[in-house]
Each structure stands twice: as structure tokens, then as C-alpha cells.
Amino acid sequence: MPVSQRRVAAIALAGGLALAGCASAPPAAEPVAQGDLAGLVQQLTRTIGHELDAQRIAGLSIALVDDQRLVWAQGFGWADVAARRPAQADTLYRVGSVSKLFTDTAAMQLVAQGRLQLDAPIQQLLPDWRIRSRWGEVAITPRQLMTHHSGLPRDMLGGMWGTQVGDFRTMLAGLADPASPEEAAAPPGLAFGYSNIGLDLLGLAIERASGRRFEQQLRQTLLEPLGMHEAVFSAGPVDSPRMAQGHLKSAPQVEPGLRDLPAGGLTASVTDLARFVSMQFAGGRNAAGEPLLPAALVAEMLRVQNAQVPLDSGFGVGLGWMLATFGRDTVQGGGPVAHHAGATFYHRAQLMMLPAQRLGVIVAANDGAAGPVVDRVAARALALLLEAKTGQRQPARVPGVTLPARAPWSEAQRQACEGDYVTPAGLATLRRDGPRLRAELDGRTLELIEGEDGWAGLRYRLLGVLPLTLELLDGVGLQCRRVAGRQVLVARLDGQELRLGDRLPAPDGPLPAEVSALAGDWAPVLAPGEVATVERVRIEVDRGRLWVRPTLSATFGGDSAGRLPLQLLSPTQARLPGTLADTGPVITLRPPERAGEAPGFAYSGWVFRRIGP
């Protein structure tokens, strides 16, 4: 799931409840006079320096674009801490999912040529490709792949990262094998569900439509025409003196290779990406004025594609571009914000632009702890760039609910809200606490302060006693709503509404003994050289359900992930909840190999072995 939706869940429910902050406050925002580029650079330099020091980030590069001009680009910190090699404007970074913008653009080039049909089933190009689905035959279109409405699982984790990764084509062929246990996570078109597999499939379609290998097609039709001569789609970092070394909290790390090239395999500098941004503002033309994509298709990529999908509840997405921002991520007053973040193990990137103002920002860092930093720096830079161009300062935040003006709910409203909700931050439970409701998330309790029109505010009590209004919670509105026959949670702030969760049905009777026997600690069995994003999982039995609590790699959050409920589908299958309660990837329960052994399970291309009770 994209960063935006994950952060919404954290803001509105978890609320960033850690009370320890940075050692010092960030520099205060100051007015920038219209045309004052020097003042803008001075503010950003202070902000970036503070962020690198406070968060112990190795290095970062930034580029600012005004239409066809690169107005500023600079590196900060170290491209390689151990070698004391400074980060520069032209330092090369792994940019992760920012790669998807290039893959989607390459697909649209083929649409312009009539070799790819945007709304035709992908099987017209790939007649042998299928995936099992409990919703019947899966006919996925390129538009659904680009908007993350394909219903495909997010990832095939087995073999995704490592020193010797496989090929995305082989992975897709394995999914299409009738013997594969993997299946669709949701029916196509139901709701937004981020999928790296979907972009890999689009990459395979690009190959079939163009007659070239994916990497060759991208180089010849996009990277070289844009002047991105050292940028490349590859499994791992490139052999170049400009390549940034990966780090975690400034400690050097070995960046593993990535199998899924169309979804996240691009290496580029921020100045390279600035050329791509300028192409958007030039109606699809490069710096020489050559058309790479018709202006009408550039506009189509930036148009909200999912306005008629009720369960997306305002989370706008274009063809590749994310078009919804929220809270600290948003920049007001310059029209829609188009953006995409990217992450590999030890690199992070954020690209944001205001198409109506022809302004863009690219930030990249070589540190696995830099995700929040590149987001904050990019949003701050875009707001200052808008101010320097137009003189327009950022307005005050628009609260999603006005408190303390309270409007008590009816009993019917409270009863309709009670229940367990699947959210990107884990399971949220809304329960009665006397006459009121409270929300519980991963052991933390939030009070719901009832307001008008069924909206509620949120308040956290430290140690269950002292009420706190944390900045991240202040003004966030939460509402229970009936959408497309489902009871969902919706958050609102800054005029933006986003669906947070979907109510989970009650468990169907007691768990079979062989299923309860899965309780304990498990780890994936890895291939030689494979690097896992999930180090281990703990399975628990509680409240008549099976629960999974993953421990992720430190660069993706460690043990911070919330506990998720498993839904038993059959004696041999369970589902990990996805974007909606009755969607998500499937776990296959494996019978014991020998008498007296406990059963095991397989998930996302991995077999898990027991490592503890």
C-alpha cells in the first residue's frame, strides 16, 4: 500500500504515539518573498541539515524544477560514509517505486502507437497468463494495472530480494502455473490495492507489445531521449563512482538486488528525474522539443481515474501518479499534487509536483531510515517553491472535525460503529466504554470524542490517565460509514477523505485443532543469497481467531507492524486481510510431513519453518 494510505492509518489511529521526538525542533518556516530563490535555498539547507543530524541519515540529494528549468540541485551528507564521499546533485540512487512512473509512461507510449489497448484484457497480449481466483475468471486491463485496481497480490516475497535474484518473467510464469497455490487477492476494479506484481505484469506486456526486452525498451524510448544517460533499470546498484552506498542510520549496508525491475528497478540521480518532471510540464516533449508522449496522454495519466470507485473514498490515483495527499504530506493552493514515493532496502525517494504551476521536487536518500525525511523535505520544498513563484503561503490546516464543540451520537450510531476493522496499521477495535466509544489499536487506546454529522475526534490518554492532544491527532476526523454494502472507517483532514478500514466479520465457530497448532514463531526458508523483508512471524490464538504478528527487516520497521487476524477459508487455506476485510493474499496450510509433527504453512512464495513455540 502506498505511503499515503499507510500514513493516514498511522495518523488517525496509531497517531505516532511515541512521545519521544527529535533532540531539537526543526527550523521554523519563514516567509519567502516572490522570486527569492536564495531565501528558499537558505531555508531548505537549514531544514535538510537538521533532518540529517536529527535522524542520523547518511546522505540526501534534492532537485527543484520550475517548468523547463532546473532551478536548484544539491547533495547533502555522504554518498558513502566510510569512504567520506560527499553526496552530490548527480549522485545515483536506487529510487524504488518511482520506477513505476517510467514503466507506466512506457506503456502509454505503446498505447499512443496502437500496440497496447488501455482497456482491453491483458490476455490479448499475454494469452497464456492466468492466476487463480475465487471470484472467477480474472480479466485485468492495463488501466487497472496502472491504477492498482487489478486485484493482484501486492508482492511475491519469495525470491524478491537478494544477492542473486531471479527474473520477474519467471516469477510471473510461476504465478500462471495451474499448480501454483497463489491466487488473486481481490476481484479487479473493487478498490485500490497496491501491487508490485501488477507493474511487473505491465512490464511483461510492454515486452510483448514492443518486441524488445523491458530494460531495452525503457532505455531507447525514455531514458536516452530524456538525457538520462547513466540511469538504468537493473537488479541492483550500478558500478559507477557516482553510485550511493546504502546505509541504515548512517551505518553502511549492502543493498540487495531486486527481482521486480518494472516495479522498482530504476537507478537515477535527482537531476535525471528532474528531466522526467520537465517532460510532464512540456506536454510529453523532451528538452530538444521531441515528442515522447502525446500531450493528451500526459494529461490522462494525471487525471483521477477512480472517482467512480466508492470504496476508494476519495483516495485519488491517476495512471501511475498518486493524486491524494493528507495532513503533513499536502501542499495547498497550487492545485492537485501528483506524487510517488520509492523505497528499496537502503534507499528512499520522493517525487512531488504541482502540474498546474509547473513546479516539481525530487528528493532521494541512501539510508533505510530516511523515508519520513524525504517526505517531509519534499513537501516543505514544494510549498516553498510555490511561495517563491506566486507569493502564496501555505494556509492553516483545515480540521476534519471541529472540537471541543460536541454533538453526542445516538445509540444507533454507536452500535453501528462497534466492531473490529482491518486497517493498514493493524486491527482497530471500536468498543463501548460506558456511554461512549473508544478505539483500540495494538494495545493503545484512543477516545472517540463525538461531534456533528457522525464525525468524531481522537484523543490519546498517556498510561490510560493523562489526556493528550498530539499534533498528529489534532483535528483528524473519523466517521463510520456505510459504503457499497460495507461498514467502513473514513478519516478526514485538510479537505481530504480517505478510507481507513473495513469491518471484519465475526469468526465462524471454534478453530480446528490442527489450525490452532500453528501457534508459535515461524521464519521463512530462504534460498541461498536471499534477503527477507519479513524476518519472522508469530502466530497467536486469541478471541477465537488466529493472529499474525510479523517482524520486518529493520529498514522496513522491525517489530513495529501491528497484529493482523487470519480468516480461515477452508481446512487448508487462510487469508491475510488486504485493503478490505474479505480480500487479501492467501496462506496455504501444509500438512505435517511426518507423524507427530505440527502442520506448517506457505505464503507469497515462501515456506515457513517453526523456530519456537
Side-chain angles (χ1 to χ4, degrees), residues 326-389:
F326 191 91
R328 287 180 172 177
D329 287 338
T330 200
V331 175
Q332 301 279 6
V337 181
H339 60 105
H340 210 298
T344 66
F345 258 77
Y346 301 113
H347 290 245
R348 299 291 186 268
Q350 178 62 265
L351 187 159
M352 299 179 72
M353 64 183 197
L354 295 170
Q357 304 294 330
R358 298 187 178 184
L359 297 174
V361 174
I362 308 100
V363 182
N366 58 332
D367 200 304
V373 171
V374 298
D375 292 347
R376 287 194 294 266
V377 169
R380 178 80 174 271
L382 191 60
L384 289 172
L385 197 56
L386 176 65
E387 187 174 347
K389 184 169 185 175

Side-chain angles (χ1 to χ4, degrees), residues 83-143:
R84 310 306 283 175
R85 178 162 54 91
Q88 307 282 358
D90 62 356
T91 295
L92 296 170
Y93 297 90
R94 300 285 283 164
V95 299
S97 288
V98 174
S99 310
K100 292 178 173 66
L101 297 174
F102 287 78
T103 299
D104 292 328
T105 300
M108 294 300 283
Q109 288 177 318
L110 294 168
V111 170
Q113 297 164 18
R115 292 195 275 176
L116 182 67
Q117 303 301 314
L118 198 53
D119 295 305
I122 203 73
Q123 284 82 4
Q124 287 190 6
L125 275 175
L126 307 171
D128 297 331
W129 197 85
R130 295 287 187 276
I131 187 169
R132 290 152 46 108
S133 173
R134 61 189 62 247
W135 294 280
E137 182 70 17
V138 174
I140 301 167
T141 68
R143 190 188 300 272

Side-chain angles (χ1 to χ4, degrees), residues 128 130-133 156 171-183 573 586 588 590 602 605 607:
D128 297 331
R130 295 287 187 276
I131 187 169
R132 290 152 46 108
S133 173
M156 180 57 56
M171 178 272 290
L172 290 171
L175 282 178
D177 188 334
S180 171
E182 308 300 333
E183 60 178 65
Q573 280 192 322
V586 166
T588 302
R590 298 164 61 93
V607 173

Side-chain angles (χ1 to χ4, degrees), residues 44-65:
L44 286 179
T45 298
R46 289 200 304 265
T47 296
I48 293 169
H50 168 82
E51 291 282 5
L52 294 186
D53 290 342
Q55 305 303 327
R56 293 167 48 209
I57 302 304
L60 176 152
S61 297
I62 184 171
L64 306 185
V65 177

